[in-house]
Amino acid sequence: MKTPKISEAVIRRLPVYLRYLQHLHEMNITTVSSLDLGQHLEMNPAQIRKDLAYFGEFGRKGIGYDVEYLIAKIKQILKLDRRLNVALVGAGNLGTALSNYNRYTNEKMKIVAIFDSFPEKIGTKIGTVKVQPIQELAKTVKEQDVKIGIITVPATEAQKVADQMVEAGIKGILNFAPITMRVPNHVYLRNADLTTELQSLAYYIG
Amino acid sequence: MKTPKISEAVIRRLPVYLRYLQHLHEMNITTVSSLDLGQHLEMNPAQIRKDLAYFGEFGRKGIGYDVEYLIAKIKQILKLDRRLNVALVGAGNLGTALSNYNRYTNEKMKIVAIFDSFPEKIGTKIGTVKVQPIQELAKTVKEQDVKIGIITVPATEAQKVADQMVEAGIKGILNFAPITMRVPNHVYLRNADLTTELQSLAYYIG
């Protein structure tokens, strides 16, 4: 069955559900209601039911969702059940933190190549991945079938790196640089922002 | 006028609006409609109007919102218009990246103290802030009137650090460690996750 076209808002909520479901699974909790999910995630339970109903009827009235089944199903929907190679450009502090974090998760989405433009970084290793010169990006993307790029370079370099990623055939970009980036329509771009969570905290502080 | 009690979901959306409004302001765009905001942020314009209407009537029919006024108003609502001191525990790669990022923003929320437990980190500087031993947390929180704590230590250490922050009188915690943390009800906790954006990217890749 072909999945219908789903709004980006729904797709962005699925990893949030997934994270909490994985936590429940670790706690040996086997079923969860949309009400529980809604309370924990501070979302409308009806919205959650609607989001999940796009992909079939998973929940059972009065019982809820089977945690393990829903984890597998969301991974399948997000296509996290297949190997997906990621390249990261910018082996600074944030790039290193992301690479280390990724190394310890057992997801199939893996950072397989890391690039930088600083000569002193080239050849050093983050985990088991050797930092390559940025000039090798295109070649490595092809050889290793890299589909996703993460940008953790300074703002001034970020657009240039994005252009190189697009040129090399990368299909999706996660950008951490605080700029408004331009990419062609066939490339999917997401901007990550470390400051929004911090800003919403201020409201609650006496 | 006392602000009415606002749902957490609304408070978490305000920084997202703020980020885009600041971008518009940098581009010298002076007004924006809820439709424009909705299209760019992939949200329902009616939801945006409703969120902003909690705080008064900012928008004008057929004209939209005044960008500069709305920025000032959201900062005021989120209490970002006053000085707010932040302490960070965990001077590793992510902690260093966050500290450096915070240093270059002109927000009034500032990381004024950094702590670590590794002897080789103590006394080193990130920007202008010297890394202190974790034992000095309580004293510094009091002396510098720190209200918010950021946790960027490994998962195994994170709960202990949170307990120390609570004990020291910190009111809000932003946790980057991938654990489910417990804090008392009077402390406001947010968990940041670097992986959700990456996971939603997978869906869009061929």
Side-chain angles (χ1 to χ4, degrees), chain A residues 97-170:
Chain A
L98 286 167
S99 303
N100 283 329
Y101 189 87
N102 183 256
R103 190 150 54 98
Y104 294 113
T105 61
N106 56 2
E107 303 297 338
K108 295 195 175 173
M109 187 189 278
K110 283 285 176 202
I111 296 172
V112 296
I114 301 171
F115 301 88
D116 206 290
S117 57
F118 277 95
E120 65 268 32
K121 293 266 172 76
I122 312 302
T124 63
K125 274 188 170 184
I126 301 176
T128 55
V129 183
K130 203 176 268 187
V131 179
Q132 297 175 264
I134 182 74
Q135 290 79 4
E136 288 174 20
L137 179 72
K139 186 167 154 277
T140 302
V141 163
K142 273 168 194 71
E143 277 174 7
Q144 301 215 40
D145 191 28
V146 171
K147 295 276 172 61
I148 289 181
I150 300 178
I151 298 179
T152 49
V153 299
T156 49
E157 305 300 315
Q159 182 63 55
K160 199 179 144 201
V161 169
D163 294 345
Q164 287 173 286
M165 284 183 173
V166 170
E167 178 78 23
I170 274 178

Side-chain angles (χ1 to χ4, degrees), chain A residues 18-31:
Chain A
L18 182 59
R19 183 194 158 115
Y20 183 56
L21 290 164
Q22 285 173 325
H23 166 67
L24 292 176
H25 185 59
E26 280 160 22
M27 311 269 287
N28 294 315
I29 294 166
T30 55
T31 54

Side-chain angles (χ1 to χ4, degrees), chain B residues 20-53:
Chain B
Y20 183 56
L21 289 164
Q22 285 173 326
H23 166 67
L24 292 176
H25 185 59
E26 280 160 22
M27 310 270 286
N28 294 314
I29 294 166
T30 56
T31 54
V32 64
S33 68
S34 56
L35 196 69
D36 289 340
L37 283 170
Q39 270 175 352
H40 181 85
L41 302 171
E42 315 231 4
M43 291 176 58
N44 188 331
Q47 176 76 71
I48 295 173
R49 285 195 298 275
K50 196 180 155 207
D51 284 358
L52 296 175

Side-chain angles (χ1 to χ4, degrees), chain A residues 8 12 19 23 42 77-79 82 93 96 101 180 188 190 193 195 197 201-205, chain B residues 8 12 19 23 42 77-79 82 93 96 101 180 188 190 193 195 197 201-205:
Chain A
E8 182 170 317
R12 294 186 68 189
R19 183 194 158 115
H23 166 67
E42 315 231 4
I77 294 163
L78 289 176
K79 302 176 193 164
R82 55 175 183 170
N93 287 301
T96 304
Y101 189 87
T180 302
Y188 187 81
R190 285 246 51 92
D193 192 333
T195 62
E197 292 283 1
L201 261 179
Y203 177 79
Y204 293 97
I205 309 310
Chain B
E8 182 170 319
R12 294 186 69 189
R19 184 194 157 114
H23 166 67
E42 315 231 4
I77 294 163
L78 289 175
K79 303 178 195 163
R82 57 178 183 167
N93 287 301
T96 304
Y101 189 87
T180 300
Y188 186 81
R190 286 248 49 92
D193 192 333
T195 60
E197 292 284 0
L201 261 179
Y203 177 79
Y204 293 97
I205 309 310

Side-chain angles (χ1 to χ4, degrees), chain A residues 39-71:
Chain A
Q39 271 175 352
H40 181 84
L41 302 171
E42 315 231 4
M43 291 177 59
N44 187 332
Q47 176 75 71
I48 295 173
R49 285 196 298 275
K50 197 180 155 208
D51 284 357
L52 296 175
Y54 273 112
F55 310 102
E57 288 300 327
F58 306 143
R60 283 188 292 164
K61 263 215 166 77
I63 297 174
Y65 299 97
D66 183 286
V67 170
E68 202 168 349
Y69 179 74
L70 196 51
I71 288 172

Side-chain angles (χ1 to χ4, degrees), chain B:
Chain B
M1 193 191 79
K2 203 174 173 312
T3 314
K5 178 129 177 81
I6 309 298
S7 86
E8 182 170 319
V10 176
I11 295 302
R12 294 186 69 189
R13 285 194 287 268
L14 292 181
V16 179
Y17 302 154
L18 181 60
R19 184 194 157 114
Y20 183 56
L21 289 164
Q22 285 173 326
H23 166 67
L24 292 176
H25 185 59
E26 280 160 22
M27 310 270 286
N28 294 314
I29 294 166
T30 56
T31 54
V32 64
S33 68
S34 56
L35 196 69
D36 289 340
L37 283 170
Q39 270 175 352
H40 181 85
L41 302 171
E42 315 231 4
M43 291 176 58
N44 188 331
Q47 176 76 71
I48 295 173
R49 285 195 298 275
K50 196 180 155 207
D51 284 358
L52 296 175
Y54 272 113
F55 309 103
E57 287 300 329
F58 307 142
R60 282 188 293 164
K61 262 214 167 79
I63 298 175
Y65 298 97
D66 182 286
V67 170
E68 203 168 350
Y69 179 75
L70 196 50
I71 288 172
K73 197 69 197 173
I74 291 179
K75 282 193 172 185
Q76 187 197 325
I77 294 163
L78 289 175
K79 303 178 195 163
L80 293 171
D81 55 350
R82 57 178 183 167
R83 176 82 191 200
L84 195 51
N85 287 343
V86 179
L88 180 141
V89 179
N93 287 301
L94 183 58
T96 304
L98 286 167
S99 303
N100 283 330
Y101 189 87
N102 183 257
R103 191 151 52 100
Y104 293 113
T105 61
N106 55 4
E107 303 297 338
K108 295 194 176 175
M109 188 189 278
K110 283 284 176 203
I111 295 172
V112 297
I114 301 170
F115 300 89
D116 206 291
S117 58
F118 278 94
E120 65 269 32
K121 293 266 173 76
I122 312 302
T124 62
K125 274 185 169 186
I126 301 176
T128 56
V129 183
K130 203 176 269 187
V131 179
Q132 298 174 264
I134 182 74
Q135 290 79 5
E136 288 174 20
L137 179 72
K139 185 167 156 275
T140 302
V141 163
K142 273 167 193 73
E143 278 174 6
Q144 300 215 39
D145 190 28
V146 170
K147 295 276 172 60
I148 289 181
I150 301 178
I151 298 179
T152 49
V153 299
T156 48
E157 306 299 316
Q159 183 62 55
K160 198 179 145 201
V161 168
D163 294 346
Q164 287 173 285
M165 284 184 173
V166 170
E167 177 78 22
I170 274 178
K171 306 291 182 212
I173 293 175
L174 178 58
N175 170 44
F176 280 89
I179 66 158
T180 300
M181 192 167 264
R182 299 194 175 277
V183 297
N185 281 335
H186 69 273
V187 174
Y188 186 81
L189 172 69
R190 286 248 49 92
N191 292 296
D193 192 333
L194 298 174
T195 60
T196 53
E197 292 284 0
L198 194 58
Q199 290 183 333
S200 69
L201 261 179
Y203 177 79
Y204 293 97
I205 309 310

